[in-house]
Amino acid sequence: MPEGPEIRRLADALQAQVAGRVIDRIYFGMASLKKWQRRLAGVKITKVESHGKVMLTRLDNGLSIYSHNQLYGRWVFCDSNAYPQTKRQLRLAIDCQEKSALLYSASEIAVLDEAALSSHPFLSKLGPDVLHSATTAKHIIERLRSKKYNNRQLGSVLTDQSFVAGLGNYLRCEILFYSGLNVRLHSKELDEKKIRLLAETILNMSRQSYQTAGITNQLSDAKKMMKQGATFEQARFYVFRRQGLPCYRCGSLIEKKSLAGNACFYCPTCQLL
Ligand SMILES: [Zn+2]
């Protein structure tokens, strides 16, 4: 599933493709949304935002197109006369002055006004976005210390979108490794230094991943590894999908365990309880 950094990059690409343009034609795959096809033609797209894993395409008539890619959603950006040949189900197509943005397979799409956005059952519960510049380590520390989150396992808190928006499984594994924390710890067990390192890592690692299209490993090390022949997938992570390979810090073999349906990757030495 794409996480905050991947969705933000998609939002940037969608923005580059359609923002500032007027919609010539818009197509919705779902019957309940067909009514919008006529009403949104001729409307200008102002900007595209991401909130955690949600994308909002803002229109100049006050409405927004809400989309959540989930696991299977795929955006394609192309010229309007060059739609790709695919068996995927087209759920949303926006044609604006010869440029098109197509969303395949995603099922969570809606057209919402400001009131509906502010009371939206998912959006209204989202915590501060890890990629928003206004989100600081101080905010994250306050949340880690709050009663709502301080007595739960870090493994479940980090991917709870109400704690912070945008973290998924690869970021969780990488953040916990970098911070030297076991997935089962509770934040109330962490001293001042550890809680600060965790909060800063949540922000810094997510932002590096956004800027580098997914590298959470030490950037200089990842670049060196790729120069020496490693693939991007081999070089990008500290622990994620590296089970059986040596930890870059201590040499122990990285392990993999299932945690609430997600594979958890960790170093048994660096992340002792
Ligand atoms: Zn280690």
Side-chain angles (χ1 to χ4, degrees), residues 40-55:
L40 298 185
V43 171
K44 192 172 175 182
I45 297 173
T46 52
K47 59 179 173 174
V48 182
E49 298 169 359
S50 69
H51 296 264
K53 303 177 189 178
V54 167
M55 219 188 273

Side-chain angles (χ1 to χ4, degrees), residues 177 247 250 267 270:
F177 168 78
C247 170
C250 75
C267 171
C270 295

Side-chain angles (χ1 to χ4, degrees), residues 177 247-252 254 267-271:
F177 168 78
C247 170
Y248 295 130
R249 283 185 178 166
C250 75
S252 301
I254 302 300
C267 171
T269 306
C270 295
Q271 295 173 264

Side-chain angles (χ1 to χ4, degrees), residues 213-225:
I215 298 173
T216 46
N217 200 349
Q218 183 76 38
L219 202 50
S220 52
D221 291 349
K223 282 182 180 165
K224 196 168 146 198
M225 286 165 71

Side-chain angles (χ1 to χ4, degrees), residues 6-250:
E6 290 72 40
I7 295 296
R8 173 62 68 87
R9 291 179 72 89
L10 278 170
D12 291 346
L14 179 57
Q15 159 115 355
Q17 183 79 347
V18 298
R21 290 170 178 266
V22 170
I23 298 172
D24 294 320
R25 188 190 79 104
I26 188 162
Y27 164 86
F28 290 99
M30 280 172 280
S32 59
L33 296 172
K34 296 277 185 199
K35 65 183 177 200
W36 293 105
Q37 293 181 170
R38 269 210 358 230
R39 291 162 71 176
L40 298 185
V43 171
K44 192 172 175 182
I45 297 173
T46 52
K47 59 179 173 174
V48 182
E49 298 169 359
S50 69
H51 296 264
K53 303 177 189 178
V54 167
M55 219 188 273
L56 292 180
T57 304
R58 303 284 200 171
L59 308 175
D60 75 349
N61 63 355
L63 297 174
S64 298
I65 303 170
Y66 169 103
S67 57
H68 192 307
N69 274 41
Q70 297 166 303
L71 195 50
Y72 301 106
R74 288 285 182 280
W75 280 99
V76 171
F77 308 112
C78 60
D79 289 341
S80 298
N81 60 2
Y83 278 29
Q85 295 286 325
T86 171
K87 290 201 171 95
R88 288 177 181 276
Q89 278 203 310
L90 184 59
R91 301 291 195 172
L92 169 64
I94 309 171
D95 298 337
C96 314
Q97 294 136 37
E98 293 164 22
K99 296 285 179 194
S100 291
L102 315 173
L103 177 56
Y104 291 94
S105 309
S107 55
E108 272 191 54
I109 300 170
V111 178
L112 304 169
D113 62 16
E114 283 304 316
L117 281 178
S118 54
S119 61
H120 190 275
F122 183 75
L123 271 182
S124 61
K125 289 198 193 90
L126 285 183
D129 190 301
V130 284
L131 298 176
H132 284 193
S133 55
T135 306
T136 64
K138 189 167 167 262
H139 294 133
I140 310 262
I141 291 169
E142 278 166 15
R143 295 176 88 72
L144 283 166
R145 290 229 169 91
S146 70
K147 272 200 180 127
K148 189 170 175 196
Y149 302 108
N150 76 359
N151 201 21
R152 283 170 50 191
Q153 294 190 349
L154 289 176
S156 95
V157 170
L158 260 53
T159 51
D160 180 339
Q161 301 300 297
S162 72
F163 166 62
V164 293
L167 303 183
N169 197 29
Y170 85 77
L171 282 169
R172 165 175 64 185
C173 295
E174 294 287 288
I175 287 164
L176 289 174
F177 168 78
Y178 189 86
S179 311
L181 299 174
N182 190 283
V183 72
R184 290 195 299 269
L185 280 168
H186 299 181
S187 54
K188 68 174 186 184
E189 300 169 277
L190 305 182
D191 63 23
E192 184 74 24
K193 204 172 147 194
K194 281 183 177 163
I195 214 161
R196 173 152 291 277
L197 175 63
L198 174 59
E200 286 170 353
T201 305
I202 286 171
L203 295 179
N204 295 341
M205 201 174 252
S206 305
R207 290 167 184 183
Q208 178 183 304
S209 182
Y210 164 62
Q211 283 155 5
T212 60
I215 298 173
T216 46
N217 200 349
Q218 183 76 38
L219 202 50
S220 52
D221 291 349
K223 282 182 180 165
K224 196 168 146 198
M225 286 165 71
M226 287 190 277
K227 248 189 189 160
Q228 291 169 346
T231 62
F232 178 77
E233 284 303 317
Q234 286 166 338
R236 62 186 285 206
F237 297 125
Y238 285 107
V239 293
F240 191 72
R241 295 188 183 141
R242 290 196 66 245
Q243 71 276 18
L245 294 170
C247 170
Y248 295 130
R249 283 185 178 166
C250 75

